[in-house]
Amino acid sequence: MNQLNNALTLFFSLLVEALPFLIIGVLFSSALLLFVDERKLIAVVPKQAFLAALAGSLIGFLFPVCECGNVPVARRLITQGAPSAMAIGFLLAAPVVNPVVFWATWIAFRDQPEIVFLRIGGSLLIATIIGYVFSTQADLRPMLQPTVARAMLLPRRSGQAKLGRPELAPLLQSGTFFLGQSEQPIQLDALGAAVVNPDLARPIPERLRLMLDNVVQELRELGGILVIGSAIAAIVQTSIPREVILGLGQGPVTSILAMMILAVVVSICSTVDAFFALSFAAVFTTGSLLAFLVLGPMVDLKNIALLLTVFRGRAIFYLFALAGQLTFLLALLINFYVS
Amino acid sequence: MNASFRPFKGFSRLQWLLDMAAILAWGWLLVQYWLNGKMNLLLHPNYIWLAYSAGFFLLALGAIKLLQSLRRSRPPAEQLQHMALFPSGLSSLILLATALFGLQFTPQPFASEMALNRGVGETLTLTRSQPQAFRAAIKPESRSLTDWIKTLNVYPEPDAYTGQKVSVEGFTIHLPNLPESHLGIARFVITCCAADAYPVGLPVKLPDGDRTAYPPDKWFRVEGEMITETLDNRRQLVIQAKSLTDIPTPKNPYAS
């Protein structure tokens, strides 16, 4: 009975600590969805692949979203012609390299500030490397879902029609066109504008209303996952014998593998995962905590569903395999040489 | 049913109701935990404001959405596209059920059972979060239990403290590796929330040599002086108690 009460106390303590950060993350991500034009960013990103990957990884500081908010943003970046290195760098790093996550991790690990900086630095490094690797694939389209690949070329006319814009026959518009490439003529100079964030055209009151709708929707989806994640943490903490956890958590390799698997399975949002990891801080090695904090936002079960809206399975496999291996290496280095 | 609900059909109306109920219940839960002090058992005092602010935000969000629905005759026609692990209705249901349960639930401060499970210690192991604050100038008798542990962490030689006066508060814990004449006096330290609570404590040599008079989990103020003893095959700092005074469980039982 006592054990049950301890587990529930742990469960609710995780929830009440994490919920404010989830709300902040969701508010930011909803505001971005409706108020920010990513095209301006793409215009200033360097062309050189490594720098583009680094710039993409750092953009998270302007887009404080967790991994659930960043996939739609990454999708828009891709469709608006962002270099693949930048888009991939952003996709992997933005959930960690941003002020909200920095703050949450700082609060959770204020006694171990090295974890905060290693988390940000490690994520930046891994995202930049993977972004650079993906830059060898200059044309991302074979890796994208057909709908996204098509959106890179074709205007989403149906979407614009809903916004009340007059639907002109394509050739009545001025400009340069490709003919015969697909069913519709493609307007060369309008490719960027064609896939602009459609919500930016709405009037402000409507955007605010949509923002609140989005807040409710994201809170519901991510809140549900947070509850499940907190329950798993509480159960593991109180029901598995301490010797088993200690045995697993103190091994330099087993602890990393265990935390990596946990990160993928639990799918907890990056704005709150630091609190989840904190409950393991007493018994798990620093490297394994870092592995959890770096890998979780890049790769998890929930992400697979999200990423499948953008990429084909093969690309997701590459992303996950690279992220997993690099995280493992990084965590191993920390366990052997730093902590 | 209210006329304004009529156009909400089937599942979307249920979904909407579940969402509103979950948001309002969570808002109320956070505010209620703050008002009745339950939050003290869950969070470090520094972060309680974050939790109740979130509560007020959720209540306001719920109120705004309710007002909007009264003005508008249909649910939002275009939802921004989302993907999730499980169906949204299930997600709302989980949130609502958790909040309703939370409203009934009274958290208990962690006690000796949890301390034994987590391993009470006078030193902080390598992987444990390591408090950085250290006040050396403090008088020995005004050091709290956590101050003693921090001091020991910096300079662990027990002989350095022999004869110093002690007055510390904590809960009792019957450590199995101590003789019957000794007990542990312990506290949980939290840096963020109850999830990272870890116990710290020192062995106490009782004046009457019998710990059965001091059941586990009772709070005491222990006064006495420091001695060095070999317990459990290890030389360690022990409190030679002169008196143990019953004290009520503090409102905020965790040390920080």
Side-chain angles (χ1 to χ4, degrees):
Chain A
M1 204 55 210
N2 223 340
Q3 208 173 8
L4 181 66
N5 204 303
N6 285 341
L8 287 169
T9 303
L10 215 96
F11 172 67
F12 278 105
S13 97
L14 281 172
L15 281 177
V16 297
E17 178 71 65
L19 209 60
F21 288 95
L22 188 67
I23 291 174
I24 296 169
V26 163
L27 276 176
F28 267 116
S29 111
S30 304
L32 287 171
L33 213 58
L34 296 159
F35 290 95
V36 171
D37 184 355
E38 303 89 355
R39 281 181 308 163
K40 292 180 182 139
L41 269 179
I42 297 174
V44 296
V45 165
K47 294 286 168 282
Q48 202 273 331
F50 188 80
L51 291 178
L54 185 64
S57 308
L58 285 169
I59 289 175
F61 261 97
L62 305 173
F63 289 73
V65 287
C66 66
E67 63 264 38
C68 334
N70 82 328
V71 174
V73 180
R75 179 167 55 190
R76 280 207 299 276
L77 284 176
I78 289 171
T79 50
Q80 285 167 40
S84 47
M86 174 198 176
I88 300 289
F90 173 80
L91 187 72
L92 296 176
V96 173
V97 186
N98 78 55
V100 178
V101 174
F102 184 87
W103 184 32
T105 316
W106 181 263
I107 282 185
F109 287 97
R110 77 197 150 101
D111 285 340
Q112 292 167 281
E114 69 273 15
I115 293 240
V116 185
F117 294 104
L118 284 171
R119 175 182 202 189
I120 305 274
S123 301
L124 206 56
L125 182 74
I126 291 174
T128 309
I129 293 174
I130 299 179
Y132 186 67
V133 169
F134 269 73
S135 73
T136 54
Q137 177 85 17
D139 183 1
L140 269 182
R141 272 174 295 161
M143 294 195 162
L144 299 176
Q145 289 291 349
T147 45
V148 183
R150 271 200 302 278
M152 287 176 76
L153 282 175
L154 280 176
R156 286 193 301 194
R157 301 215 168 268
S158 56
Q160 293 193 353
K162 273 187 205 157
L163 303 177
R165 289 187 189 168
E167 173 115 274
L168 296 176
L171 292 178
L172 289 180
Q173 297 167 16
S174 62
T176 314
F177 294 87
F178 287 126
L179 295 176
Q181 299 286 316
S182 64
E183 292 165 20
Q184 274 184 297
I186 297 158
Q187 188 174 2
L188 187 65
D189 48 358
L191 283 181
V195 284
V196 69
N197 182 351
D199 296 313
L200 290 177
R202 298 172 197 264
I204 299 261
E206 193 188 347
R207 272 195 259 172
L208 281 175
R209 190 180 58 72
L210 274 175
M211 182 181 144
L212 280 190
D213 285 345
N214 196 58
V215 167
V216 172
Q217 201 178 347
E218 288 197 13
L219 271 182
R220 172 214 303 151
E221 288 166 5
L222 306 180
I225 293 171
L226 180 64
V227 170
I228 303 280
S230 304
I232 292 176
I235 292 168
V236 168
Q237 284 279 302
T238 43
S239 68
I240 298 181
R242 184 176 155 75
E243 297 72 41
V244 177
I245 298 190
L246 270 179
L248 202 64
Q250 300 287 324
V253 175
T254 52
S255 62
I256 297 174
L257 291 176
M259 285 307 264
M260 281 172 65
I261 293 171
L262 204 60
V264 173
V265 173
V266 173
S267 303
I268 201 162
C269 183
S270 68
T271 40
V272 294
D273 61 357
F275 304 110
F276 180 91
L278 187 63
S279 63
F280 294 90
V283 282
F284 273 73
T285 57
T286 307
S288 68
L289 296 177
L290 195 67
F292 178 88
L293 293 172
V294 169
L295 187 69
M298 294 184 184
V299 177
D300 59 38
L301 287 183
K302 173 192 60 184
N303 247 6
I304 295 178
L306 281 167
L307 284 171
L308 274 172
T309 62
V310 185
F311 292 103
R312 287 174 196 260
R314 190 164 52 104
I316 297 177
F317 175 77
Y318 292 151
L319 274 177
F320 282 16
L322 278 170
Q325 288 168 6
L326 288 171
T327 308
F328 183 74
L329 273 179
L330 175 78
L332 213 54
L333 282 176
I334 299 295
N335 269 356
F336 282 129
Y337 294 108
V338 181
S339 69
Chain B
M1 277 285 164
N2 189 318
S4 62
F5 285 144
R6 205 173 296 139
F8 288 54
K9 278 186 201 153
F11 182 72
S12 76
R13 177 167 60 188
L14 185 66
Q15 174 72 65
W16 184 88
L17 283 171
L18 277 175
D19 282 353
M20 287 306 106
I23 286 173
L24 291 171
W26 265 104
W28 176 235
L29 175 80
L30 291 172
V31 173
Q32 196 222 42
Y33 271 20
W34 171 54
L35 291 175
N36 61 19
K38 288 182 188 174
M39 205 74 98
N40 287 324
L41 301 178
L42 300 176
L43 294 186
H44 187 285
N46 283 3
Y47 308 119
I48 288 180
W49 69 271
L50 268 172
Y52 68 72
S53 308
F56 285 120
F57 170 82
L58 289 176
L59 288 177
L61 178 66
I64 292 172
K65 297 298 295 175
L66 279 176
L67 279 178
Q68 274 182 356
S69 74
L70 293 178
R71 281 203 220 128
R72 190 175 57 200
S73 60
R74 356 176 106 252
E78 299 168 63
Q79 283 282 355
L80 298 158
Q81 199 189 347
H82 276 267
M83 294 285 283
L85 257 189
F86 33 73
S88 48
L90 183 62
S91 209
S92 320
L93 208 59
I94 290 174
L95 279 170
L96 179 61
T98 313
L100 291 179
F101 180 77
L103 284 167
Q104 310 299 320
F105 173 67
T106 305
Q108 297 289 322
F110 292 148
S112 59
E113 186 192 346
M114 189 75 161
L116 287 171
N117 185 33
R118 290 196 171 191
V120 106
E122 65 172 47
T123 49
L124 306 166
T125 58
L126 217 113
T127 49
R128 199 162 271 171
S129 42
Q130 293 156 21
Q132 310 280 320
F134 177 61
R135 280 160 289 166
I138 209 163
K139 277 205 284 184
E141 60 267 36
S142 49
R143 278 185 195 139
S144 69
L145 193 54
T146 33
D147 289 332
W148 274 107
I149 301 297
K150 286 173 188 170
T151 315
L152 265 179
N153 266 324
V154 178
Y155 191 73
E157 172 51 49
D159 282 346
Y161 310 100
T162 302
Q164 291 192 355
K165 282 189 180 164
V166 192
S167 171
V168 293
E169 294 177 356
F171 63 86
T172 50
I173 169 170
H174 287 187
L175 292 164
N177 51 355
L178 291 184
E180 288 295 311
S181 56
H182 289 63
L183 52 74
I185 190 93
R187 284 198 85 140
F188 275 96
V189 178
I190 62 172
T191 46
C192 168
C193 56
D196 70 291
Y198 61 92
V200 292
L202 285 172
V204 178
K205 189 172 185 182
L206 295 166
D208 42 6
D210 180 18
R211 68 181 175 194
T212 47
Y214 309 99
D217 299 333
K218 289 269 178 264
W219 282 75
F220 287 99
R221 179 179 302 116
V222 181
E223 287 172 325
E225 61 174 43
M226 285 301 188
I227 54 171
T228 306
E229 275 196 324
T230 304
L231 293 171
D232 204 20
N233 298 322
R234 194 164 68 89
R235 269 180 76 243
Q236 51 182 310
L237 195 62
V238 173
I239 304 174
Q240 169 69 64
K242 288 202 174 79
S243 68
L244 279 89
T245 322
D246 239 327
I247 55 168
T249 305
K251 213 173 105 193
N252 183 358
Y254 304 125
S256 51

PDB file of all heavy atoms in Angstrom, chain A residues 122-135:
ATOM      1  N   GLY A 122      25.767  18.147 -27.483  1.00  0.00           N
ATOM      2  CA  GLY A 122      25.693  16.830 -28.118  1.00  0.00           C
ATOM      3  C   GLY A 122      24.635  16.811 -29.213  1.00  0.00           C
ATOM      4  O   GLY A 122      24.865  16.288 -30.310  1.00  0.00           O
ATOM      5  N   SER A 123      23.467  17.383 -28.918  1.00  0.00           N
ATOM      6  CA  SER A 123      22.395  17.399 -29.917  1.00  0.00           C
ATOM      7  C   SER A 123      22.812  18.208 -31.135  1.00  0.00           C
ATOM      8  O   SER A 123      22.563  17.819 -32.277  1.00  0.00           O
ATOM      9  CB  SER A 123      21.123  18.014 -29.339  1.00  0.00           C
ATOM     10  OG  SER A 123      20.713  17.287 -28.229  1.00  0.00           O
ATOM     11  N   LEU A 124      23.462  19.337 -30.871  1.00  0.00           N
ATOM     12  CA  LEU A 124      23.916  20.203 -31.960  1.00  0.00           C
ATOM     13  C   LEU A 124      24.910  19.455 -32.848  1.00  0.00           C
ATOM     14  O   LEU A 124      24.818  19.470 -34.082  1.00  0.00           O
ATOM     15  CB  LEU A 124      24.591  21.427 -31.332  1.00  0.00           C
ATOM     16  CG  LEU A 124      24.622  22.716 -32.121  1.00  0.00           C
ATOM     17  CD1 LEU A 124      23.217  23.115 -32.506  1.00  0.00           C
ATOM     18  CD2 LEU A 124      25.255  23.825 -31.276  1.00  0.00           C
ATOM     19  N   LEU A 125      25.841  18.778 -32.196  1.00  0.00           N
ATOM     20  CA  LEU A 125      26.879  18.045 -32.923  1.00  0.00           C
ATOM     21  C   LEU A 125      26.268  16.945 -33.789  1.00  0.00           C
ATOM     22  O   LEU A 125      26.536  16.847 -34.999  1.00  0.00           O
ATOM     23  CB  LEU A 125      27.864  17.442 -31.900  1.00  0.00           C
ATOM     24  CG  LEU A 125      29.035  16.679 -32.468  1.00  0.00           C
ATOM     25  CD1 LEU A 125      30.034  17.665 -33.065  1.00  0.00           C
ATOM     26  CD2 LEU A 125      29.726  15.848 -31.384  1.00  0.00           C
ATOM     27  N   ILE A 126      25.416  16.128 -33.154  1.00  0.00           N
ATOM     28  CA  ILE A 126      24.847  14.987 -33.880  1.00  0.00           C
ATOM     29  C   ILE A 126      23.943  15.462 -35.020  1.00  0.00           C
ATOM     30  O   ILE A 126      24.007  14.953 -36.140  1.00  0.00           O
ATOM     31  CB  ILE A 126      24.084  14.071 -32.904  1.00  0.00           C
ATOM     32  CG1 ILE A 126      25.092  13.394 -31.972  1.00  0.00           C
ATOM     33  CG2 ILE A 126      23.265  13.031 -33.651  1.00  0.00           C
ATOM     34  CD1 ILE A 126      24.476  12.580 -30.866  1.00  0.00           C
ATOM     35  N   ALA A 127      23.139  16.491 -34.744  1.00  0.00           N
ATOM     36  CA  ALA A 127      22.234  16.994 -35.789  1.00  0.00           C
ATOM     37  C   ALA A 127      23.028  17.565 -36.960  1.00  0.00           C
ATOM     38  O   ALA A 127      22.664  17.373 -38.115  1.00  0.00           O
ATOM     39  CB  ALA A 127      21.301  18.057 -35.199  1.00  0.00           C
ATOM     40  N   THR A 128      24.120  18.262 -36.650  1.00  0.00           N
ATOM     41  CA  THR A 128      24.919  18.850 -37.726  1.00  0.00           C
ATOM     42  C   THR A 128      25.577  17.755 -38.561  1.00  0.00           C
ATOM     43  O   THR A 128      25.589  17.830 -39.792  1.00  0.00           O
ATOM     44  CB  THR A 128      25.996  19.787 -37.134  1.00  0.00           C
ATOM     45  OG1 THR A 128      25.366  20.685 -36.232  1.00  0.00           O
ATOM     46  CG2 THR A 128      26.703  20.573 -38.222  1.00  0.00           C
ATOM     47  N   ILE A 129      26.092  16.729 -37.884  1.00  0.00           N
ATOM     48  CA  ILE A 129      26.732  15.630 -38.632  1.00  0.00           C
ATOM     49  C   ILE A 129      25.713  14.955 -39.555  1.00  0.00           C
ATOM     50  O   ILE A 129      25.961  14.752 -40.743  1.00  0.00           O
ATOM     51  CB  ILE A 129      27.339  14.590 -37.653  1.00  0.00           C
ATOM     52  CG1 ILE A 129      28.511  15.211 -36.900  1.00  0.00           C
ATOM     53  CG2 ILE A 129      27.779  13.338 -38.414  1.00  0.00           C
ATOM     54  CD1 ILE A 129      29.076  14.324 -35.804  1.00  0.00           C
ATOM     55  N   ILE A 130      24.540  14.636 -38.994  1.00  0.00           N
ATOM     56  CA  ILE A 130      23.543  13.931 -39.811  1.00  0.00           C
ATOM     57  C   ILE A 130      23.042  14.838 -40.943  1.00  0.00           C
ATOM     58  O   ILE A 130      22.840  14.394 -42.074  1.00  0.00           O
ATOM     59  CB  ILE A 130      22.375  13.417 -38.943  1.00  0.00           C
ATOM     60  CG1 ILE A 130      22.914  12.434 -37.895  1.00  0.00           C
ATOM     61  CG2 ILE A 130      21.315  12.728 -39.806  1.00  0.00           C
ATOM     62  CD1 ILE A 130      21.872  11.878 -36.960  1.00  0.00           C
ATOM     63  N   GLY A 131      22.869  16.123 -40.639  1.00  0.00           N
ATOM     64  CA  GLY A 131      22.470  17.085 -41.674  1.00  0.00           C
ATOM     65  C   GLY A 131      23.487  17.105 -42.798  1.00  0.00           C
ATOM     66  O   GLY A 131      23.142  17.104 -43.982  1.00  0.00           O
ATOM     67  N   TYR A 132      24.771  17.075 -42.423  1.00  0.00           N
ATOM     68  CA  TYR A 132      25.848  17.087 -43.409  1.00  0.00           C
ATOM     69  C   TYR A 132      25.812  15.808 -44.254  1.00  0.00           C
ATOM     70  O   TYR A 132      25.956  15.848 -45.473  1.00  0.00           O
ATOM     71  CB  TYR A 132      27.190  17.231 -42.694  1.00  0.00           C
ATOM     72  CG  TYR A 132      28.357  17.408 -43.623  1.00  0.00           C
ATOM     73  CD1 TYR A 132      28.477  18.561 -44.400  1.00  0.00           C
ATOM     74  CD2 TYR A 132      29.334  16.428 -43.733  1.00  0.00           C
ATOM     75  CE1 TYR A 132      29.536  18.731 -45.262  1.00  0.00           C
ATOM     76  CE2 TYR A 132      30.400  16.590 -44.598  1.00  0.00           C
ATOM     77  CZ  TYR A 132      30.502  17.735 -45.368  1.00  0.00           C
ATOM     78  OH  TYR A 132      31.545  17.907 -46.223  1.00  0.00           O
ATOM     79  N   VAL A 133      25.589  14.677 -43.572  1.00  0.00           N
ATOM     80  CA  VAL A 133      25.506  13.399 -44.300  1.00  0.00           C
ATOM     81  C   VAL A 133      24.350  13.450 -45.312  1.00  0.00           C
ATOM     82  O   VAL A 133      24.502  13.054 -46.461  1.00  0.00           O
ATOM     83  CB  VAL A 133      25.296  12.223 -43.307  1.00  0.00           C
ATOM     84  CG1 VAL A 133      24.951  10.942 -44.055  1.00  0.00           C
ATOM     85  CG2 VAL A 133      26.537  12.024 -42.452  1.00  0.00           C
ATOM     86  N   PHE A 134      23.215  13.976 -44.886  1.00  0.00           N
ATOM     87  CA  PHE A 134      22.062  14.035 -45.783  1.00  0.00           C
ATOM     88  C   PHE A 134      22.261  15.026 -46.917  1.00  0.00           C
ATOM     89  O   PHE A 134      21.556  14.968 -47.922  1.00  0.00           O
ATOM     90  CB  PHE A 134      20.777  14.368 -45.006  1.00  0.00           C
ATOM     91  CG  PHE A 134      20.048  13.139 -44.540  1.00  0.00           C
ATOM     92  CD1 PHE A 134      20.553  12.387 -43.492  1.00  0.00           C
ATOM     93  CD2 PHE A 134      18.873  12.719 -45.140  1.00  0.00           C
ATOM     94  CE1 PHE A 134      19.902  11.250 -43.055  1.00  0.00           C
ATOM     95  CE2 PHE A 134      18.218  11.579 -44.714  1.00  0.00           C
ATOM     96  CZ  PHE A 134      18.727  10.842 -43.671  1.00  0.00           C
ATOM     97  N   SER A 135      23.212  15.953 -46.758  1.00  0.00           N
ATOM     98  CA  SER A 135      23.416  16.944 -47.820  1.00  0.00           C
ATOM     99  C   SER A 135      23.981  16.292 -49.077  1.00  0.00           C
ATOM    100  O   SER A 135      23.902  16.865 -50.161  1.00  0.00           O
ATOM    101  CB  SER A 135      24.353  18.053 -47.342  1.00  0.00           C
ATOM    102  OG  SER A 135      25.674  17.553 -47.279  1.00  0.00           O
TER     103      SER A 135
END
